[in-house]
Amino acid sequence: VAAWAWAAAASLELADGFDWPDAGIGQRTSERVKAGKRASRHIACSVCEECVLELFPTQPDAGQIASFLENGELEDALGDAKKLCEMRSLAQLFRKLRLEVATRSDGSAELLKVEGKLPFYEEINTSDLVFHWKSFAVQHACAETFRRDGETIAAAIQESLRGIDDAVEAVSAEDLPRRISDATQRGCRLAKTCKRA
């Protein structure tokens, strides 16, 4: 019943549209916090996927991935939402990826890749006077997703990648990033925040 009520409320909100506040830095107001929370619901899956993918070793082989999973590094990282979702790290990651929170007139939002310029993210964002609601949206999506479901996501990814270094199921270097991405996507789709998006 609760899921139905949430879905009904979300569809009513979408039908009515939404007036997004100015995208720049401003004073922390209930309107800006509401906008950040609203946007976070729409971007939660994408934020989850990007945060998880960033944890994997760069240019790994199947043995490195298996070791990374067996050593519990993924589970440890996803189980510590406070550290994983620290705003400075998120700002650096989403600037590096050139992903920006883009809003639509229907009240929805998404992460879009921008060309040419680096998207703005406030690295501290704790002040009541200097508040960036789009940065808050990314941090809120991250914190809610991993606080609630970090262990579930980690377990699903580990299950998807189990045996990745077995000789029987040898994974080519070219296929490995796709396998990691697919496993990450499946894991993130299990998060409650992602199911609501």
Side-chain angles (χ1 to χ4, degrees), residues 21 27-39 131 133 136-137 140:
Q27 191 170 9
R28 181 188 296 260
T29 62
S30 61
E31 175 192 22
R32 287 173 167 272
V33 170
K34 181 180 175 183
K37 287 183 178 183
R38 181 186 186 96
F131 180 74
W133 68 266
F136 172 72
H140 188 71

Short mmCIF file of all heavy atoms in Angstrom, two decimals, residues 21 27-39 131 133 136-137 140:
data_model
loop_
_atom_site.label_atom_id
_atom_site.label_comp_id
_atom_site.label_asym_id
_atom_site.label_seq_id
_atom_site.Cartn_x
_atom_site.Cartn_y
_atom_site.Cartn_z
N PRO A 21 13.97 25.69 -8.69
CA PRO A 21 14.63 26.95 -8.30
C PRO A 21 15.84 27.22 -9.19
O PRO A 21 16.29 26.35 -9.94
CB PRO A 21 15.05 26.70 -6.85
CG PRO A 21 15.08 25.24 -6.67
CD PRO A 21 14.13 24.65 -7.68
N GLN A 27 20.75 30.68 -0.71
CA GLN A 27 20.48 30.36 0.68
C GLN A 27 19.73 29.02 0.75
O GLN A 27 18.93 28.70 -0.12
CB GLN A 27 19.63 31.47 1.30
CG GLN A 27 19.51 31.39 2.78
CD GLN A 27 18.88 32.65 3.35
OE1 GLN A 27 18.39 33.51 2.62
NE2 GLN A 27 18.89 32.76 4.66
N ARG A 28 20.02 28.25 1.80
CA ARG A 28 19.29 26.99 2.00
C ARG A 28 17.87 27.35 2.42
O ARG A 28 17.66 27.93 3.47
CB ARG A 28 19.95 26.15 3.09
CG ARG A 28 19.24 24.80 3.33
CD ARG A 28 19.79 24.06 4.53
NE ARG A 28 21.17 23.67 4.35
CZ ARG A 28 21.57 22.45 4.00
NH1 ARG A 28 20.69 21.51 3.80
NH2 ARG A 28 22.84 22.19 3.86
N THR A 29 16.91 26.99 1.58
CA THR A 29 15.50 27.24 1.88
C THR A 29 14.76 25.91 1.75
O THR A 29 15.28 24.95 1.15
CB THR A 29 14.89 28.24 0.89
OG1 THR A 29 14.95 27.68 -0.44
CG2 THR A 29 15.61 29.59 0.92
N SER A 30 13.56 25.86 2.26
CA SER A 30 12.77 24.63 2.14
C SER A 30 12.51 24.32 0.67
O SER A 30 12.47 23.15 0.27
CB SER A 30 11.47 24.74 2.92
OG SER A 30 10.68 25.80 2.44
N GLU A 31 12.35 25.35 -0.16
CA GLU A 31 12.12 25.15 -1.60
C GLU A 31 13.34 24.48 -2.26
O GLU A 31 13.19 23.55 -3.06
CB GLU A 31 11.85 26.49 -2.26
CG GLU A 31 11.73 26.40 -3.77
CD GLU A 31 11.73 27.76 -4.45
OE1 GLU A 31 12.22 28.75 -3.86
OE2 GLU A 31 11.28 27.81 -5.61
N ARG A 32 14.54 24.93 -1.92
CA ARG A 32 15.76 24.36 -2.50
C ARG A 32 16.01 22.94 -1.99
O ARG A 32 16.43 22.08 -2.74
CB ARG A 32 16.96 25.26 -2.22
CG ARG A 32 16.94 26.53 -3.04
CD ARG A 32 18.05 27.49 -2.62
NE ARG A 32 18.17 28.52 -3.61
CZ ARG A 32 18.95 28.44 -4.69
NH1 ARG A 32 19.69 27.38 -4.89
NH2 ARG A 32 18.99 29.42 -5.56
N VAL A 33 15.75 22.69 -0.72
CA VAL A 33 15.91 21.34 -0.17
C VAL A 33 14.90 20.41 -0.83
O VAL A 33 15.23 19.28 -1.23
CB VAL A 33 15.76 21.35 1.36
CG1 VAL A 33 15.68 19.93 1.91
CG2 VAL A 33 16.92 22.11 2.00
N LYS A 34 13.66 20.87 -0.99
CA LYS A 34 12.62 20.07 -1.65
C LYS A 34 13.03 19.74 -3.08
O LYS A 34 12.86 18.61 -3.55
CB LYS A 34 11.29 20.82 -1.63
CG LYS A 34 10.15 20.07 -2.26
CD LYS A 34 8.86 20.88 -2.21
CE LYS A 34 7.75 20.17 -2.96
NZ LYS A 34 6.52 20.98 -2.97
N ALA A 35 13.59 20.71 -3.79
CA ALA A 35 14.03 20.49 -5.17
C ALA A 35 15.15 19.45 -5.20
O ALA A 35 15.17 18.57 -6.06
CB ALA A 35 14.51 21.80 -5.79
N GLY A 36 16.08 19.55 -4.26
CA GLY A 36 17.18 18.59 -4.20
C GLY A 36 16.68 17.18 -3.94
O GLY A 36 17.11 16.22 -4.58
N LYS A 37 15.74 17.04 -3.01
CA LYS A 37 15.19 15.71 -2.71
C LYS A 37 14.39 15.18 -3.89
O LYS A 37 14.44 13.98 -4.19
CB LYS A 37 14.33 15.77 -1.45
CG LYS A 37 15.16 15.92 -0.18
CD LYS A 37 14.30 15.91 1.06
CE LYS A 37 15.18 16.00 2.30
NZ LYS A 37 14.39 15.93 3.54
N ARG A 38 13.66 16.05 -4.55
CA ARG A 38 12.88 15.62 -5.72
C ARG A 38 13.81 15.13 -6.83
O ARG A 38 13.61 14.07 -7.41
CB ARG A 38 12.01 16.77 -6.22
CG ARG A 38 11.17 16.38 -7.42
CD ARG A 38 10.44 17.59 -7.99
NE ARG A 38 9.55 17.18 -9.03
CZ ARG A 38 8.27 16.93 -8.88
NH1 ARG A 38 7.71 17.06 -7.70
NH2 ARG A 38 7.54 16.55 -9.90
N ALA A 39 14.84 15.91 -7.12
CA ALA A 39 15.80 15.52 -8.16
C ALA A 39 16.51 14.22 -7.78
O ALA A 39 16.75 13.35 -8.63
CB ALA A 39 16.81 16.63 -8.40
N PHE A 131 24.40 27.36 -0.45
CA PHE A 131 23.79 26.04 -0.64
C PHE A 131 23.53 25.82 -2.13
O PHE A 131 22.96 26.68 -2.81
CB PHE A 131 22.48 25.96 0.15
CG PHE A 131 21.77 24.65 0.02
CD1 PHE A 131 22.23 23.52 0.67
CD2 PHE A 131 20.61 24.54 -0.74
CE1 PHE A 131 21.56 22.30 0.57
CE2 PHE A 131 19.93 23.34 -0.84
CZ PHE A 131 20.41 22.21 -0.19
N TRP A 133 21.57 23.27 -4.46
CA TRP A 133 20.60 22.18 -4.34
C TRP A 133 20.90 21.02 -5.29
O TRP A 133 20.56 19.87 -4.99
CB TRP A 133 19.17 22.68 -4.50
CG TRP A 133 18.78 23.19 -5.86
CD1 TRP A 133 18.80 24.48 -6.30
CD2 TRP A 133 18.29 22.41 -6.94
NE1 TRP A 133 18.38 24.54 -7.59
CE2 TRP A 133 18.05 23.29 -8.02
CE3 TRP A 133 18.03 21.06 -7.13
CZ2 TRP A 133 17.56 22.86 -9.25
CZ3 TRP A 133 17.55 20.63 -8.35
CH2 TRP A 133 17.32 21.52 -9.39
N PHE A 136 23.34 18.94 -3.48
CA PHE A 136 22.58 18.25 -2.45
C PHE A 136 21.81 17.06 -3.04
O PHE A 136 21.75 16.00 -2.42
CB PHE A 136 21.61 19.23 -1.78
CG PHE A 136 20.65 18.58 -0.82
CD1 PHE A 136 21.08 18.09 0.40
CD2 PHE A 136 19.30 18.46 -1.15
CE1 PHE A 136 20.18 17.49 1.28
CE2 PHE A 136 18.41 17.86 -0.29
CZ PHE A 136 18.84 17.37 0.94
N ALA A 137 21.27 17.21 -4.24
CA ALA A 137 20.52 16.11 -4.88
C ALA A 137 21.41 14.90 -5.09
O ALA A 137 21.01 13.76 -4.82
CB ALA A 137 19.94 16.58 -6.21
N HIS A 140 22.30 13.44 -1.59
CA HIS A 140 21.13 12.81 -0.98
C HIS A 140 20.82 11.47 -1.66
O HIS A 140 20.53 10.47 -0.98
CB HIS A 140 19.92 13.75 -1.06
CG HIS A 140 18.74 13.28 -0.30
ND1 HIS A 140 18.69 13.27 1.06
CD2 HIS A 140 17.55 12.78 -0.73
CE1 HIS A 140 17.52 12.81 1.46
NE2 HIS A 140 16.81 12.50 0.39
#
